């Protein structure tokens, strides 16, 4: 059987000179596609593989970039992507592939879709209403199968997150026919979108993950917004003489793309729309939303909407809708006029939907906002501690998640944090663009004039929605929130992406504004003590967007990969060896990623992956309680002294008591639940450089005879048989049954403790 | 005190013998082979019996369940032996790498008869710590849940009779081993009965595994 390979580097055949793409008269995409198909064998693709082009993106230099979805027998291949390029003269440049090669799957009769839906429905928590689910057949590389995820619980401890965890032994096959299913459900905490991959033959759930990325006839109407004053908003008169709706068909020129194929919402049309949620029972309103209609095309009253007091469809409800609608229009213009992305989120003018007044499932106000790539929708809550989360930077943040879905598509691990940072960065630029240039022109200014705001306020997120004006995040100094790191370290992916994003946001700040040489300043970096000069907003954002749109092919790109992409983008836009590329190197060096311009590679501490780790983050080590387990030895590069200093901690989580760390061996105490212990290994030579890993300690004495042995696995298997004979109290609390996640943890912990 | 005297006397005796022979200190002859005598059993016994694949230096022992038709959902045990004489041998894991301390006897299945439907996972674990070997194979029976979901139980997730080999372990002769009997001490053995969930005590059951005698020669 062919080996499972992911092609990241092309052979010389493609990386040498550029190829002139023939086919005069056809579209650039068609010519590029034709040329790439001719080169498919060199990229490891076979006769049954295909490449389906997405929307082309033409940059300011005239080059065209197209993101291709890999197919096999006409079916999409999970995480199979190819980024193709044509320069302004129509010559093909070396593409950036992230392809799945060696697929060898025979046609098969798959389980019917309704059975797949029932499997997913059974897996969803028995909570609120669910939306119709659509299934799509895909080819799934089994190396992405399974995986346990974690979260910081309400108390601050690292715990397993069963909502998005799959505990199942990895399959020996390299690829499987599977279904991709997108589920949406009302749950405690708001709406929850969950993405599933289900084996098409066995019905086994292979992977699942959070489907949300959080952030928290044309007419022009007048909107009285809460955050932006009185504004002009683009609306639509639904019929001659009829009411107006919050539908903007000037910018979005194609219908809702309906990625689920469900026809939702059935009243939709061309133009991005701002609507309210309607949780009335099915099938009274299958769309689950209600359009805003207004006879005079005058909307809202500028007052804050109070959840539970004000009518979401009334004038105060309209106010929040005005803010969301206005912000999306300004963000759309920023992408079009500054960055050349005229087609909005999908690059083709597809109409997204903004849903305001999203409640928590318990009926209270929802303190968040989100983008769902599977549903092509943005959602806004009205805030418990905050006002409606529809202010300019939050809305721009969510739309930028949408653009990310159709450009670099970053997800998983460090890439999730980079995705969040990308949204905050563009949101900040939108503020400069609107308040400094009136939302006009092709340049992002370096200061605002209306209103005039200090840098500290502009380079932060969410201040408008906060009653106290305190932002949620600070791009120039992420650690001001008390949770986010200011610099990269190996293991940063263990943090929530809204914290692991911090260094990337800070790097962009340095790239634009520079870094101070005064260590007392918030804008100074210990990794670049001499500081650096910035390029200004306009250059910085052009480099950033060009890098994301044209240089990042792999959805799992990490901080180091992003640095490579951004240096390449700067060199392409402004020339190799120039101050722009140097500034990129310095900005990343200032967050502990790579060497500064002209400097030497810094000391780097990196943990190896743990073979067979059942966690999504492949370095997590599972340790049975009371059994010493040897931690992976980190690799210390670029140092004469490769020794490390071990300590507990290193992440912004509570460290549970009782964990014992000595000389690279860890012993977990007997625990009543599974806990994650962060362990830190700092370089002896340069203690500023360190790596953090997680040891997950579990109690495995399932029959309570004070020993951990293979018979405990039997006790666990017995409990998992649905009879709850042994509740396995040491694993997940006394009143709960166990599932395959527990079995995976047991087997991994057993292997680590007892197989030398 | 008597033991201490003997220890003190031994170097002297060796020195005398060495001088007499005009040679280095002689060593006891190393054991060359393992012999295992199967235990005497009845049809209702669990037992560790010698596998035909055994060699003089690698003894493979099979865990075999009762032949009275009783059905189980898995079994495991913890064994202790003298690891200065013999050590626990490895078997290929499911990927073919020699990492496991047990071999699968094939009683418990992870696919149904068609080969395509997964039944509940077949759980296997083996490991050593000091002189102890811990090993077990169990079926994560989930037929009730599958039945609830789709209306029919999945064949293969059933309890199985264990009258054939459930699992194998191996003992390998150390080069420095000396002749004599090596203790094989079964510290713990448990099985999941078929009627788990309906029996009154609702527990894994202790299984008295009969163990034979290991001699080094």
């Amino acid at each position: 059987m062919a080996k499972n390979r992911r092609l990241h580097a092309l052979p010389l055949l493609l990386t040498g000179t550029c190829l002139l793409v023939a086919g005069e008269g056809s579209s650039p995409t068609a010519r590029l596609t034709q040329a790439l198909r001719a080169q498919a064998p060199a990229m490891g693709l076979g006769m049954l593989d295909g490449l389906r082009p997405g929307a082309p993106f033409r940059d300011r230099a005239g080059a065209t970039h197209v993101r291709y979805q890999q197919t096999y027998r006409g079916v999409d291949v999970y995480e199979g992507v190819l980024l193709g390029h044509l320069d302004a003269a129509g010559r093909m440049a070396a593409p950036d592939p992230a392809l799945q090669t060696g697929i060898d799957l025979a046609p098969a009769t798959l389980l019917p879709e309704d059975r797949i839906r029932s499997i997913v429905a059974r897996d969803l928590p028995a909570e609120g209403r669910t939306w119709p689910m659509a299934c799509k057949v895909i080819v799934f590389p089994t190396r992405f199968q399974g995986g346990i995820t974690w979260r910081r619980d309400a108390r601050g401890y690292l715990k397993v997150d069963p909502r998005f965890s799959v505990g199942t032994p990895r399959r020996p096959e390299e690829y499987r026919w599977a279904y991709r299913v997108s589920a949406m459900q009302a749950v405690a905490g708001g709406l929850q979108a969950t993405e599933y991959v289900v084996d098409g033959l066995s019905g086994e759930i292979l992977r699942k993950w959070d489907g949300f990325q959080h952030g928290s006839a044309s007419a022009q109407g007048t909107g009285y917004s809460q955050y932006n004053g009185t504004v002009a908003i683009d609306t639509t008169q639904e019929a001659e003489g009829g009411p107006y709706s919050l539908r903007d068909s000037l910018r979005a020129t194609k219908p809702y793309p309906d990625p689920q194929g469900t026809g939702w919402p059935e009243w939709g049309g061309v133009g991005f729309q701002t609507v309210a949620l309607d949780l009335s029972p099915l099938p009274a309103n299958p769309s689950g939303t209600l359009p805003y209609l207004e006879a005079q095309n005058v909307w809202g009253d500028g007052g804050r909407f109070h959840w539970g007091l004000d009518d979401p469809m009334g004038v105060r409800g309209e106010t929040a809708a005005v803010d969301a609608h206005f912000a999306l229009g300004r963000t759309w213009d920023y992408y079009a006029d500054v960055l050349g992305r005229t087609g909005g989120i999908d690059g083709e003018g597809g109409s997204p939907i903004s849903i305001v007044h999203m409640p928590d499932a318990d009926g209270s106000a929802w303190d968040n906002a989100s983008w769902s790539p599977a549903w092509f929708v943005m959602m806004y809550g009205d805030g418990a501690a905050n006002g409606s989360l529809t202010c300019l930077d939050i809305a721009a943040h969510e739309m930028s998640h949408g653009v990310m879905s159709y450009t670099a598509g970053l997800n998983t691990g460090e890439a999730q944090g980079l995705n969040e940072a990308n949204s905050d960065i563009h949101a900040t630029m939108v503020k400069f663009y609107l308040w400094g240039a009136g939302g006009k022109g092709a340049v992002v200014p370096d200061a605002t004039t209306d209103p005039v705001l200090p840098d500290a306020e502009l380079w932060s997120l969410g201040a408008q929605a906060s009653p106290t004006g305190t932002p949620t995040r600070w791009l120039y100094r992420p650690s001001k929130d008390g949770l986010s790191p200011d610099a990269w370290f190996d293991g940063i992916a263990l943090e929530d992406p809204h914290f692991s994003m911090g260094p990337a946001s800070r790097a962009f700040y340095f790239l634009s504004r520079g870094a101070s040489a005064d260590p007392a300043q918030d804008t100074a970096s210990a990794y670049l003590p001499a500081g650096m000069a910035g390029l200004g907003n306009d250059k910085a954002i052009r480099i950033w967007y060009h890098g994301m749109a044209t240089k990042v092919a792999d959805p799992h790109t990490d901080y180091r990969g992003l640095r490579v992409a951004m240096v390449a983008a700067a060199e392409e836009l402004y020339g190799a060896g120039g101050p722009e590329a140097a500034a990129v190197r310095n900005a990343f060096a200032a967050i502990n990623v790579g060497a500064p311009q002209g400097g030497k590679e810094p000391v780097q501490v990196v943990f190896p992956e743990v073979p067979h780790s059942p966690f999504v983050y492949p370095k997590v080590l599972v340790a049975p309680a009371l059994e010493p387990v040897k931690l992976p030895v980190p690799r210390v590069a670029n140092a004469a002294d490769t020794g490390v200093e071990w300590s507990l901690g290193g992440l912004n989580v509570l460290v549970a008591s009782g964990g014992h760390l000595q000389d690279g061996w860890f012993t977990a105490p007997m625990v009543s639940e599974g806990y994650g212990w962060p362990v830190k290994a700092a370089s002896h030579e340069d203690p500023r450089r360190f790596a953090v890993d997680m040891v997950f300690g579990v109690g495995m004495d399932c029959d309570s005879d004070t020993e951990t042995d293979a018979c405990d696995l039997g006790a666990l298997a017995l409990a998992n048989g649905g009879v709850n004979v042994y509740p396995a109290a040491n694993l997940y609390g006394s009143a709960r049954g166990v599932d395959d996640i527990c079995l995976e943890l047991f087997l991994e912990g057993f292997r680590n403790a007892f197989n030398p | 005190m008597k033991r201490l005297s003997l220890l003190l006397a031994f170097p002297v005796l060796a020195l005398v013998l060495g001088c007499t022979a005009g040679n280095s200190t002689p060593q006891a002859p190393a054991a060359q082979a393992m012999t295992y005598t199967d235990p005497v059993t009845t049809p209702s016994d669990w037992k560790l019996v010698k596998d035909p694949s055994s060699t003089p230096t690698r003894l493979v022992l099979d865990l075999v369940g009762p032949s009275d038709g009783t059905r189980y959902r898995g079994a495991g045990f913890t064994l202790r032996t003298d690891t200065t004489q013999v050590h626990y041998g490895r078997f290929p894991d499911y990927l073919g790498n020699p990492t496991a301390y047990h071999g699968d006897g094939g009683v418990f299945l992870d696919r149904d008869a068609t080969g395509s439907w997964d039944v509940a996972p077949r759980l296997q674990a083996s490991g050593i710590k000091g002189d102890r070997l811990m090993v077990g194979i169990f079926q994560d029976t989930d037929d009730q849940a599958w039945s609830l979901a789709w209306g029919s139980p999945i064949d293969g997730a059933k309890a199985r009779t264990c009258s054939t080999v459930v699992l194998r372990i191996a003992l390998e002769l150390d080069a420095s081993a000396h002749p004599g009997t090596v203790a094989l001490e079964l510290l713990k053995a448990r099985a999941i009965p078929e009627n788990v969930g309906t029996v009154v005590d609702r527990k894994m059951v202790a299984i008295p595994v009969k163990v034979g005698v290991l001699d080094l020669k």
Side-chain angles (χ1 to χ4, degrees):
Chain A
M1 186 177 289
K3 292 293 180 190
N4 181 1
R5 301 179 298 273
R6 189 175 177 87
L7 189 68
H8 286 282
L10 280 180
L12 283 176
L13 176 64
L14 285 174
T15 54
T17 56
C18 296
L19 301 173
L20 186 62
V21 178
E24 292 295 328
S26 57
S27 72
T29 301
R31 284 182 280 133
L32 180 60
T33 304
Q34 184 183 11
L36 287 171
R37 283 181 179 150
Q39 300 296 327
M43 293 188 284
L45 300 182
M47 293 293 291
L48 298 174
D49 290 296
L51 294 170
R52 191 181 65 247
F57 163 66
R58 188 173 171 87
D59 66 24
R60 289 167 64 91
T64 301
H65 311 274
V66 181
R67 193 168 293 268
Y68 289 84
Q69 168 66 50
Q70 181 187 354
T71 62
Y72 179 78
R73 295 183 187 271
V75 170
D76 284 3
V77 177
Y78 182 87
E79 303 285 32
V81 178
L82 175 70
L83 194 52
H85 313 282
L86 283 178
D87 68 15
R91 293 173 301 188
M92 187 175 79
D96 296 300
L99 297 165
Q100 310 295 335
T101 60
I103 305 174
D104 183 17
L105 284 175
T109 302
L110 306 184
L111 293 173
E113 289 186 4
D114 59 349
R115 179 164 282 186
I116 297 296
R117 288 193 191 91
S118 75
I119 291 168
V120 170
R122 188 160 69 100
D123 189 72
L124 289 169
E127 295 192 43
R129 155 187 172 161
T130 57
W131 272 251
M133 288 180 273
C135 297
K136 186 171 93 170
V137 176
I138 61 169
V139 171
F140 184 71
T142 54
R143 67 194 183 88
F144 295 115
Q145 180 184 343
I148 297 172
T149 58
W150 61 94
R151 63 188 166 90
R152 187 174 176 272
D153 75 2
R155 294 170 297 167
Y157 293 113
L158 280 175
K159 305 297 292 292
V160 160
D161 188 347
R163 297 172 305 163
F164 309 121
S165 293
V166 174
T168 178
R170 299 241 158 96
R171 288 184 163 278
E173 307 96 322
E174 297 162 33
Y175 297 98
R176 294 282 290 184
W177 293 114
Y179 284 96
R180 172 87 180 259
V181 184
S182 302
M184 178 96 82
Q185 186 182 31
V187 298
L191 285 192
Q192 180 59 59
T194 308
E195 297 292 306
Y196 284 83
V197 175
V198 183
D199 193 296
L201 292 167
S202 71
E204 182 182 14
I205 293 173
L206 299 174
R207 192 175 178 91
K208 56 180 174 175
W209 64 94
D210 187 352
F212 272 157
Q213 292 159 6
H214 300 277
S216 45
S218 300
Q220 194 165 67
T222 300
Y224 295 98
S225 76
Q226 180 187 353
Y227 300 119
N228 300 289
T230 302
V231 293
I233 50 176
D234 291 300
T235 59
T236 297
Q237 190 169 24
E238 294 296 335
E240 190 172 341
Y244 296 87
S245 70
L246 289 178
R247 180 199 305 272
D248 181 339
S249 56
L250 286 179
R251 295 171 177 85
T253 55
K254 291 187 177 174
Y256 172 72
D258 195 12
Q260 297 299 306
T262 59
W264 179 86
E266 82 282 0
W267 48 264
V270 171
F272 71 70
Q273 307 155 86
T274 303
V275 300
L277 184 72
D278 176 21
L279 283 177
S280 59
L282 289 169
N285 180 2
S287 78
T289 58
L290 292 171
Y292 282 101
L293 299 172
E294 165 60 46
Q296 303 302 318
N297 210 6
V298 176
W299 308 80
D301 67 355
R304 176 181 172 181
F305 178 86
H306 289 87
W307 181 262
L309 296 176
D310 297 322
D311 177 7
M313 301 306 295
V315 68
R316 281 285 161 88
E318 287 178 3
T319 301
V322 165
D323 277 304
H325 199 70
F326 172 78
L328 189 60
R330 300 288 83 70
T331 307
W332 193 295
D333 289 348
Y334 153 81
Y335 273 103
D337 297 343
V338 176
L339 301 173
R341 189 178 188 83
T342 53
I345 289 175
D346 64 0
E348 298 186 275
S351 299
I353 296 169
S354 298
I355 305 177
V356 294
H357 306 304
M358 292 293 302
D360 199 326
D362 65 4
S364 62
W366 188 40
D367 219 345
N368 214 332
S370 65
W371 154 259
S372 167
W375 296 83
F376 212 72
V377 64
M378 286 155 280
M379 302 183 182
Y380 303 95
D382 286 305
N386 298 297
S388 296
L389 287 100
T390 50
C391 58
L392 181 65
D393 57 5
I394 292 177
H397 174 105
E398 301 309 339
M399 178 177 165
S400 296
H401 274 314
V403 174
M404 169 61 74
S405 298
Y406 288 85
T407 52
L410 294 173
N411 64 62
T412 311
E414 288 188 18
Q416 278 186 294
L418 299 177
N419 186 336
E420 292 295 338
N422 177 73
S423 277
D424 272 13
I425 288 164
H426 284 295
T428 301
M429 294 298 101
V430 168
K431 288 190 290 190
F432 276 102
Y433 184 59
L434 179 61
W435 297 338
K440 307 287 185 189
V443 175
V444 180
D446 289 326
T448 63
T449 53
D450 182 19
V452 176
L453 292 172
D455 249 21
E457 190 168 334
L458 288 162
W459 289 89
S460 64
L461 194 90
Q464 274 189 309
S466 165
T468 62
T470 305
T472 304
R473 291 191 283 271
W474 290 261
L475 281 77
Y476 60 97
R477 189 68 185 264
S479 61
K480 285 174 77 73
D481 67 359
L483 294 167
S484 300
D486 285 334
W488 175 88
F489 56 90
D490 177 55
I492 196 171
L494 289 162
E495 299 272 23
D496 181 283
H498 299 92
F499 304 140
S500 68
M501 65 188 288
S505 299
R506 198 170 200 227
F508 182 81
Y509 176 86
F510 291 148
L511 185 64
S512 172
R513 282 289 196 268
S516 171
D518 176 0
Q521 299 299 313
D522 277 339
T523 55
S525 165
Y527 299 92
L528 196 72
M532 64 175 281
L535 301 175
N537 283 343
D538 198 64
K539 268 190 179 177
I541 195 60
R542 291 184 195 287
I543 292 170
W544 185 270
Y545 179 69
H546 193 68
M548 283 292 185
T550 72
K551 302 299 175 197
V552 177
D554 188 347
H556 303 144
T557 296
D558 59 12
Y559 268 87
R560 294 185 69 82
L562 186 69
R563 177 184 179 275
V564 171
M566 292 302 167
V567 169
E571 290 181 338
E572 192 166 289
L573 290 179
Y574 300 106
E580 293 83 5
V584 172
R585 291 190 184 94
N586 287 334
F588 276 86
I591 59 162
N592 193 29
V593 178
Q597 176 68 23
K600 67 172 189 175
E601 283 293 325
V603 173
Q604 192 181 52
V605 187
V606 175
F607 278 107
E609 292 189 2
V610 176
H612 313 298
S613 175
F615 279 78
V616 168
Y617 185 69
K619 299 181 180 181
V620 176
L621 188 75
V622 180
L626 307 181
E627 297 287 350
V629 171
K630 185 162 180 27
L631 298 171
V633 179
R635 182 175 63 86
V636 182
N638 310 317
D641 179 354
T642 57
V644 294
E645 182 73 28
W646 293 93
S647 60
L648 286 173
L651 299 178
N652 284 308
V653 296
L654 281 183
V655 179
S657 61
H660 182 66
L661 176 65
Q662 186 170 19
D663 300 330
W665 287 75
F666 181 82
T667 308
M670 181 54 73
V671 288
S672 59
E673 299 173 90
Y675 282 97
W677 273 268
V679 290
K680 179 178 175 182
S683 162
H684 277 161
E685 187 167 306
D686 184 352
R688 294 175 303 167
R689 324 280 180 173
F690 60 87
V692 178
D693 202 356
M694 182 166 81
V695 187
F696 201 82
V698 290
M700 288 169 35
D701 176 20
C702 298
D703 56 8
S704 301
D705 66 352
T706 70
E707 291 178 335
T708 294
D709 53 40
C711 291
D712 292 308
L713 176 62
L716 196 53
L718 180 153
N720 206 31
V723 290
N724 278 330
V725 178
Y726 284 90
N730 290 333
L731 277 162
Y732 283 102
S734 59
R736 300 176 64 179
V738 294
D739 54 28
D740 286 351
I741 295 170
C742 301
L743 296 171
E744 279 285 280
L745 288 173
F746 183 99
L747 288 167
E748 180 65 10
F750 189 93
R751 176 164 34 226
N752 291 332
F754 303 120
N755 279 357
Chain B
M1 186 62 72
K2 185 176 180 181
R3 179 181 174 83
L4 178 63
S5 303
L6 281 173
L7 287 173
L8 288 172
F10 183 76
V12 177
L13 181 59
L15 182 63
V16 171
L17 289 171
C19 290
T20 304
N23 207 335
S24 59
T25 305
Q27 297 180 345
Q32 301 294 313
M34 295 185 286
T35 62
Y36 181 81
T37 307
D38 283 347
V40 177
T41 59
T42 68
S44 60
D45 283 335
W46 287 82
K47 47 202 169 277
L48 277 176
V49 298
K50 183 177 178 179
D51 188 272
S53 67
S54 298
T55 68
T57 57
R58 179 180 164 92
L59 172 66
V60 179
L61 295 177
D62 298 338
L63 177 68
V64 178
S67 55
D68 59 4
T70 310
R71 294 157 72 97
Y72 294 89
R73 296 173 189 262
F77 61 83
T78 301
L79 179 73
R80 182 161 64 197
T81 191
D82 182 354
T83 50
T84 66
Q85 297 279 74
V86 296
H87 61 271
Y88 298 109
R90 293 184 186 258
F91 292 81
D93 62 17
Y94 75 103
L95 293 174
N97 301 315
T99 62
Y101 286 98
H102 75 281
D104 180 11
V107 168
F108 297 98
L109 307 173
D110 62 354
R111 294 289 175 96
D112 72 349
T114 70
S116 59
W117 279 91
D118 285 338
V119 298
R122 179 182 45 177
L123 302 161
Q124 308 182 47
S126 58
I128 59 171
K129 183 162 191 177
D131 58 2
R132 286 182 297 139
L133 166 71
M134 296 163 283
V135 60
I137 291 184
F138 304 93
Q139 186 88 59
D140 169 22
T141 54
D142 199 21
D143 48 351
Q144 182 184 5
W146 287 81
S147 173
L148 285 173
W150 294 336
S152 59
I154 306 302
D155 184 36
K158 307 289 188 187
R160 301 276 170 176
T161 58
C162 294
S163 56
T164 57
V165 181
V166 174
L167 61 85
R168 297 185 174 89
I169 64 167
L171 294 164
E172 294 175 349
L173 189 64
D174 278 350
S176 61
H178 52 77
T181 299
V182 175
L184 296 175
E185 185 181 3
L186 208 69
L187 299 177
K188 176 181 178 181
R190 298 279 188 272
I192 306 178
E194 177 185 23
N195 59 352
V196 64
T198 60
V199 293
V200 174
D201 60 359
R202 290 187 167 189
K203 288 181 180 176
M204 289 181 76
V205 295
I207 49 173
V209 178
K210 297 280 182 66
V211 183
V213 177
L214 172 60
D215 287 308
L216 307 186
K217 294 181 178 174

